[in-house]
Amino acid sequence: MPPKDPATPISRRRLLNEASIGFGSLALNYLLAQEAHAQNAQNFRKRKELPSALSPKPTMFPAKANAVIFLFMHGGPSHVDTFDYKPMLATYNGKTTGNGRAVLASPYQFLRRGGSGLPIAEIFPELATCSDDMCLIHSIYSTTGNHTPACLEMNTGKILPGFASMGSWVTYGLGTQNQNLPAYVVLHDGMPSGGSLNWNNGYLPAVYQGNEFHSQGSPIRNLQPAWKPKVTQQRAILDMLADVNMDHLDSHTGDSDLEARIAAYELAFRMQMQAPKVVNVDLESKEIKNFYGLDRPETQNFGRKCLLARRLVQNGVRFVEIFHGGWDAHNNLGQEHRRRGVEIDKPIAALLKDLKQSGLLDTTLVVWAGEFGRTPAAQGNGRDHHAAAHTVWMAGGGVKGGIKVGQTDELGEQIASAKHPIRDIHATILQALGIDNHLLTFLHNGRLQRLTDTGGSVIPGVLA
């Protein structure tokens, strides 16, 4: 049969007859697309309806605080040169103590400002104006005077690695109020002793580990993809990836790292929409940025962290930890502590005042601590590590302001009142958040683990 001439006209009947299969294909494709769209919408609804490990959880009892900003001064700031005023150091300056070392007078005067009259070292002139909101706790001791295990103890309750950090425990116990941002954020420039073990999730599910943000450049690295997909394209890719990961998870139940990775993909997708605005401190007014010290090179770095911390808790982040180093003053203590004081004084005072004027200080617990204190005796023209006594202060979140709790002896060498280990600080923080430290547990290796191990005690007099 000779081939048909393509130019030869065909009848309508013949056209419909030969094209009928094509019409069916078009209809089938349309129906399949509609079904796929409906399935994707159903899957999305299911994802939205599934409870997240970080969904908000009720407190165990009524609490004033619902967020924490933890200011960690790693290196070991000297308590007797910052917040534990010891005038007898000047009286005994140069005299030898029982351990054979000579007493070293503080190189600083102490200021008394506000109605409380709490004495605060002159290296913190701005912070001294906030003394009516601060509770100075002078009765804290650490297990060790070595940096790494002491940092781990303050952050995880244990001197050994592998245990869950305080921020991980808090988010495990309470979840977070904003599902479009991480529950637990860490701000640092340069690793502290112990590195990321200070904000690790330990044996808790990996979803509770701290998320590192940066104070320079983009706080969240690699948040936006290198290519610019449409939201629908990205959603489809994540759905496919989630299906593959969920199938793999079915055969590897209990793999918390994989579960956390799946959750991280979803969180990153949501963060792309909200996080850029939240973390962009440049959206703040010039007055606010200058208030935090962003206009001065010596305060700019830490001031940016403090301002970012305020923006994060304002937007529902549960736990923010800021690390600040350089406090290991074995030599040149007068010069080195003054330099560190300048770096943090204005930013922390601005943080407290900003939180207070917005009403957020009532619900945000601010904690300042190092891993240990320093000796009243001299080590050259500095001081050595000292685990037997140091000072931690708290403000906001139900804390009694303008008071001192506990005391050290006349030289600040030993605690002269009831002694409190680090786990008591943790117990007090959990109490402020509405959590009983004895009841916040996680079964691991056949034992109910706690942040406070065998149990801590809430420090009397700190909370209202």
Side-chain angles (χ1 to χ4, degrees):
M1 184 176 180
K4 297 175 183 177
D5 184 354
T8 302
I10 60 174
S11 66
R12 183 178 65 177
R13 177 177 296 178
R14 182 177 172 185
L15 172 65
L16 293 173
N17 182 57
E18 294 188 2
S20 60
I21 297 176
F23 285 142
S25 176
L26 288 174
L28 178 62
N29 284 338
Y30 175 77
L31 292 173
L32 289 175
Q34 289 289 94
E35 183 179 349
H37 179 76
Q39 185 64 44
N40 285 339
Q42 184 179 16
N43 288 343
F44 181 74
R45 284 194 299 272
K46 286 181 178 178
R47 278 194 306 275
K48 295 291 284 184
E49 293 166 3
L50 285 174
S52 164
L54 292 172
S55 295
K57 302 171 187 175
T59 59
M60 296 179 183
F61 45 82
K64 292 185 179 179
N66 59 30
V68 176
I69 297 176
F70 185 26
L71 308 169
F72 186 66
M73 309 292 111
H74 64 92
S78 171
H79 56 299
V80 296
D81 297 297
T82 52
F83 299 104
D84 195 1
Y85 178 44
K86 295 299 171 185
M88 295 304 291
L89 289 176
T91 302
Y92 291 106
N93 185 46
K95 296 181 179 179
T96 303
T97 63
N99 58 18
R101 289 184 177 180
V103 171
L104 177 66
S106 177
Y108 313 122
Q109 299 297 313
F110 276 68
L111 307 173
R112 295 181 184 271
R113 294 181 176 172
S116 64
L118 291 181
I120 294 177
E122 63 178 314
I123 60 174
F124 301 129
E126 298 288 341
L127 195 50
T129 65
C130 302
S131 62
D132 289 349
D133 295 310
M134 298 164 62
C135 174
L136 308 181
I137 309 170
H138 296 310
S139 50
I140 306 302
Y141 69 91
S142 300
T143 302
T144 175
N146 293 326
H147 287 295
T148 296
C151 284
L152 293 181
E153 183 179 26
M154 181 58 78
N155 281 284
T156 73
K158 294 279 192 171
I159 63 174
L160 299 174
F163 290 87
S165 64
M166 175 169 46
S168 296
W169 276 108
V170 168
T171 52
Y172 165 68
L174 293 178
T176 190
Q177 301 172 84
N178 189 336
Q179 299 299 302
N180 297 327
L181 291 169
Y184 176 16
V185 172
V186 175
L187 301 168
H188 72 87
D189 287 314
M191 286 289 185
S193 297
S196 61
L197 291 172
N198 288 289
W199 54 86
N200 194 21
N201 57 290
Y203 40 69
L204 293 177
V207 71
Y208 298 113
Q209 66 185 331
N211 293 263
E212 296 177 62
F213 279 19
H214 304 271
S215 61
Q216 300 298 324
S218 175
I220 310 171
R221 305 287 165 82
N222 305 313
L223 178 62
Q224 299 294 340
W227 60 298
K228 299 296 182 183
K230 295 180 179 178
V231 173
T232 53
Q233 288 178 304
Q234 196 171 358
R235 181 70 265 167
I237 292 171
L238 286 175
D239 287 342
M240 181 185 70
L241 188 60
D243 288 341
V244 173
N245 281 333
M246 291 302 292
D247 288 342
H248 183 69
L249 187 61
D250 287 342
S251 58
H252 296 79
T253 56
D255 187 345
S256 69
D257 286 344
L258 180 55
E259 291 174 346
R261 193 173 299 119
I262 295 171
Y265 286 133
E266 292 293 332
L267 175 60
F269 179 73
R270 297 193 300 271
M271 284 172 60
Q272 287 172 356
M273 311 303 166
Q274 183 173 356
K277 289 184 178 179
V278 173
V279 302
N280 187 2
V281 300
D282 291 328
L283 295 175
E284 297 283 348
S285 67
K286 181 180 179 181
E287 290 73 21
I288 285 292
K289 287 187 285 189
N290 292 349
F291 186 49
Y292 278 82
L294 270 63
D295 59 332
R296 297 166 55 190
E298 61 270 27
T299 55
Q300 184 182 75
N301 196 337
F302 196 77
R304 184 173 289 271
K305 292 187 182 77
C306 287
L307 181 51
L308 179 54
R310 190 268 284 163
R311 290 176 65 87
L312 289 170
V313 298
Q314 187 179 34
N315 283 275
V317 173
R318 182 72 71 184
F319 197 102
V320 181
E321 182 166 13
I322 305 177
F323 287 84
H324 183 264
W327 292 93
D328 193 19
H330 291 279
N331 293 292
N332 299 320
L333 181 140
Q335 178 182 346
E336 290 301 316
H337 267 36
R338 186 177 295 278
R339 179 183 301 164
R340 304 309 164 207
V342 168
E343 291 169 355
I344 70 169
D345 175 46
K346 184 179 179 67
I348 295 179
L351 174 64
L352 294 178
K353 293 174 182 178
D354 197 9
L355 289 171
K356 188 172 184 177
Q357 67 84 24
S358 66
L360 281 173
L361 190 60
D362 292 336
T363 57
T364 304
L365 178 64
V366 181
V367 182
W368 185 98
E371 64 264 40
F372 43 61
R374 306 199 82 84
T375 58
Q379 186 184 51
N381 57 355
R383 301 189 193 276
D384 202 357
H385 304 171
H386 191 61
H390 56 109
T391 296
V392 172
W393 64 256
M394 299 183 185
V399 169
K400 294 179 182 178
I403 64 170
K404 296 188 292 183
V405 171
Q407 61 181 347
T408 53
D409 61 26
E410 62 181 9
L411 297 180
E413 186 168 22
Q414 300 294 328
I415 296 172
S417 61
K419 299 180 179 181
H420 293 284
I422 299 301
R423 63 176 176 268
D424 288 357
I425 286 289
H426 294 160
T428 305
I429 291 171
L430 293 179
Q431 185 81 7
L433 291 164
I435 300 174
D436 186 327
N437 75 94
H438 297 89
L439 300 180
L440 183 65
T441 61
F442 185 82
L443 184 62
H444 174 67
N445 284 343
R447 179 174 180 256
L448 288 175
Q449 303 285 347
R450 300 181 181 88
L451 170 61
T452 54
D453 194 20
T454 55
S457 299
V458 177
I459 301 174
V462 174
L463 302 178

